[in-house]
Amino acid sequence: MSLATAPRLLIAVGLAIALSACSARYQTPTAMGGDDDDAVCQSRGLAVGSPEYVACRKDRDVQRNAAISRADRRQRDLGEYMLNHPERP
């Protein structure tokens, strides 16, 4: 490897690390288990299109959105705490 190639390689590795961190930010929280909503509701014996099935899917959406909101709130609170308490690592 020539000396001219090394800085380019370091920049490429740095960009890859930065982009991989960004891509992991908006994943579904683990509290949802990553389950397929359709499979979960059907495994409960609910027929697709029935009012119970629709309610099951809606409940899963509500639970997922609440988990995402909690995770965002915790991240924001941690950032504010770190800004307001710089003396504590």
Side-chain angles (χ1 to χ4, degrees), residues 37-83:
D37 292 346
D38 183 55
V40 170
C41 292
Q42 285 186 11
S43 71
R44 295 179 182 167
L46 303 174
V48 177
S50 68
E52 294 84 11
Y53 177 84
V54 172
C56 175
R57 293 290 301 259
K58 192 176 287 190
D59 289 342
R60 303 243 337 139
D61 271 345
V62 168
Q63 290 172 356
R64 181 180 304 105
N65 289 337
I68 291 170
S69 294
R70 281 192 306 271
D72 288 345
R73 189 176 326 115
R74 281 193 305 258
Q75 184 69 31
R76 186 178 55 247
D77 290 346
L78 176 63
E80 288 177 6
Y81 176 83
M82 291 171 70
L83 283 173

Side-chain angles (χ1 to χ4, degrees), residues 14-32:
L15 286 174
I17 291 172
L19 290 175
S20 68
C22 292
S23 69
R25 173 66 180 97
Y26 291 104
Q27 292 179 348
T28 303
T30 56
M32 288 303 298

